[in-house]
């Protein structure tokens, strides 16, 4: 059962083990075939995007580096974590990396496309956050530019509780130390957030760490309306396949005409004038 819980302290109140230690993030969420980057590149090519790409919420820089190095794009990465950006510069060089908040950033130049992968867009929790993000996108995209995003799907949780019913246990080992996490997801209905409490224990005697984070839950039609208000036309919106679906996307896959799975995949184009819609 999905029982109501008291709201946890804000996510900023405690540090994030995987964000603070990006090498652990890449071990915990491996992508040896660069599936996420290859999926993004396929969307960019299919919809005729130019070479200049901004990766918002670029994390460790794994996707940005592949797009720059292998796909030949000119990539800029932005993330709010200084540790992630330092890791990206050292391990995935090539793109220009910046520390910044996706709701309030200014970068030189304009871009042909913006990527927002692995639910990065959903860290905008409030309507004001989302309006601020889309304002930044309008400012930084060239008219006719693309938004390519991949995220959790709010509609999945209508009547489904399999991701909420039981804690999930995972572990990752680095430098001889095993870190084990216990993750609990629950829905804050009033805020329309999927909240996460994750506790880490390490076998080296380090004290346990507890983290809190959340994602905004957006529904497909809500997302379409939000994009229209901000001057975007949706070109594709579907649940599968994608880099984090089961089975995952492979080259040549065509999207299903459905939007009820646990992931949403979006391609939208800014109108040719670059203006906010009515």
């Amino acid at each position: 059962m999905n029982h109501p819980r008291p709201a946890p302290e804000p996510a900023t109140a405690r540090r994030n083990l995987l964000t603070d230690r990006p090498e652990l993030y890449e071990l915990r969420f491996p992508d040896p075939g660069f599936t996420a980057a290859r999926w993004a590149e396929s969307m960019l090519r299919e919809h005729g995007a130019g070479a200049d790409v901004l990766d918002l919420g670029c994390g460790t820089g794994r996707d940005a580096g592949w797009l720059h190095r292998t796909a030949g794009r000119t990539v800029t990465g932005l993330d709010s974590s200084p540790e992630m950006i330092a890791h990206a510069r050292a391990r995935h060089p090539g793109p220009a990396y910046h520390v910044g908040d996706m709701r309030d950033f200014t970068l030189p130049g304009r871009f042909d496309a913006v990527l927002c992968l692995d639910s990065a867009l959903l860290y905008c929790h409030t309507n004001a956050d989302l309006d601020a993000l889309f304002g930044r996108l309008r400012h930084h995209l060239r008219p006719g530019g693309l938004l390519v995003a991949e995220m959790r799907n709010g509609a999945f949780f209508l009547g489904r509780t399999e991701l909420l019913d039981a804690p999930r246990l995972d572990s990752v080992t680095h430098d001889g130390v095993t870190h084990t996490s216990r993750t609990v997801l629950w829905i804050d209905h009033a805020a329309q957030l999927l909240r996460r409490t994750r506790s880490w224990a390490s076998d080296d005697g380090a004290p346990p760490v507890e983290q809190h984070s959340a994602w905004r839950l957006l529904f497909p039609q809500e997302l379409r309306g939000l994009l229209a208000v901000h001057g975007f036309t949706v070109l594709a919106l579907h649940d599968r396949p994608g880099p984090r679906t089961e089975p995952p996307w492979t080259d040549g896959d065509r999207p299903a005409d459905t939007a009820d799975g646990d992931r949403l995949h979006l391609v939208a184009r800014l109108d040719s004038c670059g203006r906010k819609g009515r």
Side-chain angles (χ1 to χ4, degrees), residues 23 30 36-38 67 92 96 108 125 143 150 157 193 206 215 219 236 243 252 264 267:
E23 71 279 3
R38 291 190 297 106
L67 288 164
H92 304 286
H125 291 173
E150 177 257 337
F157 295 94
L193 294 175
W215 299 271
F219 299 94
L264 274 181
V267 182

Side-chain angles (χ1 to χ4, degrees), residues 153 155-157 160 220 238-240 258-264:
N153 179 11
F156 175 80
F157 295 94
R160 293 189 179 95
H238 58 88
D239 55 1
R240 58 185 184 273
T258 52
D260 61 349
D262 66 342
R263 310 296 295 193
L264 274 181

Side-chain angles (χ1 to χ4, degrees), residues 30-148:
D31 188 7
F34 297 96
T35 302
R38 291 190 297 106
W39 173 82
E41 173 62 16
S42 74
M43 296 298 101
L44 296 173
R45 282 190 282 106
E46 180 175 342
H47 295 281
D52 295 328
V53 174
L54 170 62
D55 186 359
L56 275 185
C58 66
T60 67
R62 183 168 55 192
D63 301 331
W66 186 93
L67 288 164
H68 184 96
R69 179 182 64 254
T70 304
R73 296 191 179 272
T74 302
V75 183
T76 298
L78 183 137
D79 199 275
S80 62
S81 165
E83 293 82 4
M84 285 286 198
I85 291 298
H87 179 94
R89 288 169 177 159
R91 301 292 181 87
H92 304 286
Y97 291 109
H98 303 268
V99 177
D101 186 324
M102 67 174 63
R103 300 165 299 179
D104 181 21
F105 68 93
T106 301
L107 297 172
R110 296 293 183 268
F111 300 92
D112 298 307
V114 172
L115 303 180
C116 214
L117 305 181
D118 198 16
S119 297
L121 185 151
L122 304 183
Y123 285 103
C124 293
H125 291 173
T126 68
N127 293 343
D129 289 342
L130 289 164
D131 284 340
L133 166 65
F134 283 107
R136 292 293 81 203
L137 295 186
R138 290 198 314 274
H139 179 80
H140 285 85
L141 272 172
R142 295 186 174 110
L146 293 181
L147 168 63
V148 177

